[in-house]
Short mmCIF file of all heavy atoms in Angstrom, two decimals:
data_model
loop_
_atom_site.label_atom_id
_atom_site.label_comp_id
_atom_site.label_asym_id
_atom_site.label_seq_id
_atom_site.Cartn_x
_atom_site.Cartn_y
_atom_site.Cartn_z
N GLY A 11 -10.89 -10.16 36.82
CA GLY A 11 -10.59 -9.02 37.69
C GLY A 11 -10.04 -9.39 39.05
O GLY A 11 -9.97 -8.55 39.94
N ASN A 12 -9.64 -10.65 39.21
CA ASN A 12 -9.02 -11.08 40.47
C ASN A 12 -7.56 -10.64 40.49
O ASN A 12 -6.85 -10.78 39.49
CB ASN A 12 -9.09 -12.60 40.61
CG ASN A 12 -10.52 -13.10 40.62
OD1 ASN A 12 -11.34 -12.64 41.39
ND2 ASN A 12 -10.82 -14.01 39.71
N LEU A 13 -7.13 -10.13 41.62
CA LEU A 13 -5.74 -9.71 41.77
C LEU A 13 -4.92 -10.91 42.25
O LEU A 13 -5.17 -11.46 43.31
CB LEU A 13 -5.63 -8.56 42.76
CG LEU A 13 -4.25 -7.93 42.93
CD1 LEU A 13 -3.72 -7.38 41.60
CD2 LEU A 13 -4.30 -6.83 43.97
N LEU A 14 -3.96 -11.30 41.43
CA LEU A 14 -3.14 -12.48 41.72
C LEU A 14 -1.68 -12.08 41.88
O LEU A 14 -1.26 -11.02 41.42
CB LEU A 14 -3.30 -13.51 40.60
CG LEU A 14 -4.74 -13.94 40.31
CD1 LEU A 14 -4.79 -14.84 39.08
CD2 LEU A 14 -5.36 -14.63 41.50
N ILE A 15 -0.92 -12.96 42.53
CA ILE A 15 0.50 -12.71 42.77
C ILE A 15 1.30 -13.86 42.17
O ILE A 15 0.97 -15.03 42.37
CB ILE A 15 0.81 -12.61 44.28
CG1 ILE A 15 -0.02 -11.50 44.92
CG2 ILE A 15 2.30 -12.38 44.51
CD1 ILE A 15 0.06 -11.47 46.43
N GLU A 16 2.34 -13.51 41.45
CA GLU A 16 3.21 -14.51 40.84
C GLU A 16 4.66 -14.12 41.11
O GLU A 16 4.97 -12.93 41.22
CB GLU A 16 2.95 -14.52 39.33
CG GLU A 16 3.80 -15.44 38.52
CD GLU A 16 3.42 -15.35 37.04
OE1 GLU A 16 2.29 -15.73 36.69
OE2 GLU A 16 4.27 -14.89 36.26
N THR A 17 5.51 -15.12 41.24
CA THR A 17 6.94 -14.83 41.38
C THR A 17 7.69 -15.57 40.29
O THR A 17 7.25 -16.60 39.79
CB THR A 17 7.49 -15.25 42.76
OG1 THR A 17 7.33 -16.65 42.92
CG2 THR A 17 6.78 -14.51 43.88
N GLU A 18 8.83 -15.02 39.94
CA GLU A 18 9.72 -15.63 38.95
C GLU A 18 11.14 -15.48 39.49
O GLU A 18 11.43 -14.58 40.27
CB GLU A 18 9.61 -14.91 37.60
CG GLU A 18 8.23 -14.96 36.98
CD GLU A 18 8.13 -14.13 35.71
OE1 GLU A 18 9.10 -13.41 35.35
OE2 GLU A 18 7.07 -14.19 35.07
N TYR A 19 11.99 -16.38 39.04
CA TYR A 19 13.40 -16.25 39.41
C TYR A 19 14.25 -16.87 38.33
O TYR A 19 13.81 -17.73 37.57
CB TYR A 19 13.68 -16.89 40.77
CG TYR A 19 13.38 -18.37 40.87
CD1 TYR A 19 14.39 -19.31 40.69
CD2 TYR A 19 12.10 -18.83 41.13
CE1 TYR A 19 14.12 -20.67 40.77
CE2 TYR A 19 11.81 -20.17 41.22
CZ TYR A 19 12.83 -21.09 41.04
OH TYR A 19 12.57 -22.44 41.12
N GLU A 20 15.49 -16.41 38.26
CA GLU A 20 16.42 -16.92 37.28
C GLU A 20 16.90 -18.30 37.70
O GLU A 20 17.05 -18.59 38.89
CB GLU A 20 17.60 -15.95 37.12
CG GLU A 20 17.16 -14.63 36.53
CD GLU A 20 18.29 -13.62 36.42
OE1 GLU A 20 19.45 -13.93 36.80
OE2 GLU A 20 18.01 -12.51 35.96
N GLU A 21 17.14 -19.15 36.71
CA GLU A 21 17.51 -20.54 36.96
C GLU A 21 18.75 -20.67 37.85
O GLU A 21 18.82 -21.55 38.69
CB GLU A 21 17.75 -21.25 35.62
CG GLU A 21 17.97 -22.72 35.76
CD GLU A 21 18.10 -23.41 34.41
OE1 GLU A 21 17.50 -22.94 33.44
OE2 GLU A 21 18.81 -24.42 34.34
N ASN A 22 19.70 -19.78 37.67
CA ASN A 22 20.95 -19.88 38.43
C ASN A 22 20.93 -19.04 39.71
O ASN A 22 21.97 -18.81 40.31
CB ASN A 22 22.13 -19.46 37.55
CG ASN A 22 22.02 -18.03 37.08
OD1 ASN A 22 20.99 -17.39 37.23
ND2 ASN A 22 23.08 -17.53 36.47
N ASP A 23 19.75 -18.61 40.14
CA ASP A 23 19.63 -17.81 41.36
C ASP A 23 19.48 -18.74 42.56
O ASP A 23 18.39 -19.10 42.95
CB ASP A 23 18.43 -16.86 41.26
CG ASP A 23 18.32 -15.94 42.46
OD1 ASP A 23 19.11 -16.09 43.41
OD2 ASP A 23 17.44 -15.06 42.44
N PHE A 24 20.61 -19.09 43.16
CA PHE A 24 20.60 -20.02 44.28
C PHE A 24 20.22 -19.36 45.59
O PHE A 24 20.00 -20.02 46.60
CB PHE A 24 21.97 -20.71 44.39
CG PHE A 24 22.33 -21.48 43.16
CD1 PHE A 24 23.34 -21.04 42.31
CD2 PHE A 24 21.62 -22.62 42.80
CE1 PHE A 24 23.66 -21.73 41.16
CE2 PHE A 24 21.93 -23.33 41.65
CZ PHE A 24 22.95 -22.88 40.83
N LEU A 25 20.13 -18.04 45.59
CA LEU A 25 19.73 -17.31 46.79
C LEU A 25 18.21 -17.12 46.88
O LEU A 25 17.70 -16.73 47.92
CB LEU A 25 20.42 -15.95 46.84
CG LEU A 25 21.94 -15.99 46.91
CD1 LEU A 25 22.52 -14.58 46.89
CD2 LEU A 25 22.39 -16.73 48.16
N TYR A 26 17.49 -17.39 45.78
CA TYR A 26 16.03 -17.26 45.79
C TYR A 26 15.44 -18.27 46.76
O TYR A 26 15.77 -19.45 46.74
CB TYR A 26 15.46 -17.49 44.38
CG TYR A 26 13.95 -17.44 44.33
CD1 TYR A 26 13.29 -16.22 44.31
CD2 TYR A 26 13.19 -18.59 44.30
CE1 TYR A 26 11.90 -16.16 44.27
CE2 TYR A 26 11.80 -18.55 44.25
CZ TYR A 26 11.16 -17.32 44.23
OH TYR A 26 9.80 -17.27 44.18
N ASP A 27 14.54 -17.81 47.62
CA ASP A 27 13.94 -18.65 48.65
C ASP A 27 12.56 -19.13 48.18
O ASP A 27 11.55 -18.47 48.41
CB ASP A 27 13.83 -17.85 49.95
CG ASP A 27 13.29 -18.67 51.12
OD1 ASP A 27 12.94 -19.85 50.91
OD2 ASP A 27 13.24 -18.12 52.23
N GLU A 28 12.54 -20.28 47.53
CA GLU A 28 11.29 -20.79 46.95
C GLU A 28 10.25 -21.12 48.03
O GLU A 28 9.08 -20.81 47.88
CB GLU A 28 11.58 -22.03 46.09
CG GLU A 28 10.43 -22.39 45.20
CD GLU A 28 10.81 -23.39 44.12
OE1 GLU A 28 11.99 -23.73 43.99
OE2 GLU A 28 9.90 -23.81 43.41
N ILE A 29 10.67 -21.73 49.11
CA ILE A 29 9.74 -22.05 50.20
C ILE A 29 9.26 -20.77 50.87
O ILE A 29 8.07 -20.57 51.10
CB ILE A 29 10.39 -23.01 51.22
CG1 ILE A 29 10.67 -24.35 50.56
CG2 ILE A 29 9.52 -23.15 52.45
CD1 ILE A 29 11.51 -25.29 51.37
N GLY A 30 10.19 -19.88 51.15
CA GLY A 30 9.85 -18.60 51.76
C GLY A 30 8.93 -17.77 50.88
O GLY A 30 8.10 -17.00 51.37
N SER A 31 9.04 -17.95 49.57
CA SER A 31 8.20 -17.22 48.63
C SER A 31 6.72 -17.51 48.87
O SER A 31 5.91 -16.59 48.97
CB SER A 31 8.58 -17.60 47.20
OG SER A 31 7.66 -17.06 46.28
N GLY A 32 6.36 -18.77 48.98
CA GLY A 32 4.97 -19.15 49.23
C GLY A 32 4.47 -18.62 50.55
O GLY A 32 3.35 -18.11 50.65
N LEU A 33 5.32 -18.71 51.57
CA LEU A 33 4.93 -18.21 52.90
C LEU A 33 4.76 -16.69 52.88
O LEU A 33 3.81 -16.16 53.46
CB LEU A 33 5.99 -18.60 53.94
CG LEU A 33 6.16 -20.10 54.18
CD1 LEU A 33 7.36 -20.35 55.08
CD2 LEU A 33 4.90 -20.69 54.79
N LYS A 34 5.66 -16.01 52.20
CA LYS A 34 5.61 -14.54 52.14
C LYS A 34 4.40 -14.07 51.32
O LYS A 34 3.78 -13.06 51.66
CB LYS A 34 6.92 -14.00 51.55
CG LYS A 34 7.06 -12.51 51.66
CD LYS A 34 7.30 -12.07 53.08
CE LYS A 34 7.58 -10.58 53.13
NZ LYS A 34 7.67 -10.08 54.48
N ILE A 35 4.06 -14.80 50.27
CA ILE A 35 2.87 -14.45 49.48
C ILE A 35 1.63 -14.57 50.35
O ILE A 35 0.76 -13.69 50.34
CB ILE A 35 2.76 -15.31 48.21
CG1 ILE A 35 3.81 -14.87 47.18
CG2 ILE A 35 1.36 -15.22 47.60
CD1 ILE A 35 3.91 -15.76 45.97
N ASN A 36 1.52 -15.65 51.12
CA ASN A 36 0.37 -15.82 52.01
C ASN A 36 0.32 -14.70 53.05
O ASN A 36 -0.75 -14.17 53.35
CB ASN A 36 0.41 -17.18 52.69
CG ASN A 36 0.09 -18.31 51.74
OD1 ASN A 36 -0.59 -18.11 50.74
ND2 ASN A 36 0.56 -19.49 52.05
N GLN A 37 1.47 -14.34 53.59
CA GLN A 37 1.54 -13.25 54.56
C GLN A 37 1.09 -11.94 53.91
O GLN A 37 0.31 -11.17 54.49
CB GLN A 37 2.96 -13.11 55.10
CG GLN A 37 3.13 -11.97 56.07
CD GLN A 37 4.59 -11.76 56.49
OE1 GLN A 37 5.49 -12.47 56.06
NE2 GLN A 37 4.82 -10.76 57.31
N LEU A 38 1.57 -11.69 52.70
CA LEU A 38 1.22 -10.48 51.97
C LEU A 38 -0.29 -10.43 51.70
O LEU A 38 -0.93 -9.40 51.91
CB LEU A 38 2.01 -10.43 50.66
CG LEU A 38 1.97 -9.17 49.84
CD1 LEU A 38 2.50 -7.99 50.64
CD2 LEU A 38 2.79 -9.36 48.57
N ARG A 39 -0.85 -11.55 51.28
CA ARG A 39 -2.30 -11.60 51.03
C ARG A 39 -3.09 -11.31 52.30
O ARG A 39 -4.11 -10.63 52.25
CB ARG A 39 -2.70 -12.97 50.48
CG ARG A 39 -2.37 -13.17 49.03
CD ARG A 39 -2.95 -14.48 48.53
NE ARG A 39 -2.60 -14.69 47.14
CZ ARG A 39 -2.04 -15.77 46.66
NH1 ARG A 39 -1.75 -16.79 47.46
NH2 ARG A 39 -1.76 -15.88 45.38
N ASN A 40 -2.65 -11.85 53.43
CA ASN A 40 -3.35 -11.62 54.70
C ASN A 40 -3.21 -10.18 55.17
O ASN A 40 -4.19 -9.56 55.57
CB ASN A 40 -2.85 -12.58 55.77
CG ASN A 40 -3.32 -14.00 55.55
OD1 ASN A 40 -4.38 -14.23 54.99
ND2 ASN A 40 -2.53 -14.96 55.98
N GLU A 41 -2.00 -9.66 55.13
CA GLU A 41 -1.75 -8.30 55.61
C GLU A 41 -2.39 -7.24 54.72
O GLU A 41 -2.79 -6.18 55.20
CB GLU A 41 -0.25 -8.04 55.72
CG GLU A 41 0.41 -8.81 56.84
CD GLU A 41 1.91 -8.59 56.90
OE1 GLU A 41 2.47 -7.86 56.06
OE2 GLU A 41 2.54 -9.17 57.81
N LYS A 42 -2.46 -7.50 53.44
CA LYS A 42 -2.97 -6.51 52.48
C LYS A 42 -4.35 -6.90 51.94
O LYS A 42 -4.78 -6.39 50.90
CB LYS A 42 -1.99 -6.37 51.31
CG LYS A 42 -0.58 -6.00 51.71
CD LYS A 42 -0.51 -4.62 52.26
CE LYS A 42 0.93 -4.25 52.60
NZ LYS A 42 1.01 -2.99 53.32
N ARG A 43 -5.06 -7.77 52.65
CA ARG A 43 -6.36 -8.27 52.18
C ARG A 43 -7.30 -7.12 51.81
O ARG A 43 -7.88 -7.10 50.73
CB ARG A 43 -7.00 -9.16 53.22
CG ARG A 43 -8.35 -9.73 52.80
CD ARG A 43 -8.98 -10.62 53.86
NE ARG A 43 -8.07 -11.60 54.43
CZ ARG A 43 -7.79 -12.79 53.90
NH1 ARG A 43 -8.35 -13.14 52.78
NH2 ARG A 43 -6.96 -13.61 54.50
#
């Protein structure tokens, strides 16, 4: 029953921000705790 967050992206998506993803997930968890 734990609420978890996952992201996915297409292999050829060069605009996807992998580093920003982790930071944004942490921000989201803090803001929406």
Side-chain angles (χ1 to χ4, degrees):
N12 300 307
L13 185 59
L14 304 174
I15 302 171
E16 177 179 294
T17 62
E18 299 175 354
Y19 60 97
E20 294 177 0
E21 187 176 329
N22 61 350
D23 184 355
F24 300 109
L25 298 177
Y26 177 79
D27 184 356
E28 194 166 354
I29 294 170
S31 172
L33 296 172
K34 190 72 174 173
I35 287 173
N36 288 335
Q37 178 186 0
L38 190 59
R39 282 187 182 128
N40 288 330
E41 290 177 358
K42 304 292 182 189
R43 180 180 313 276

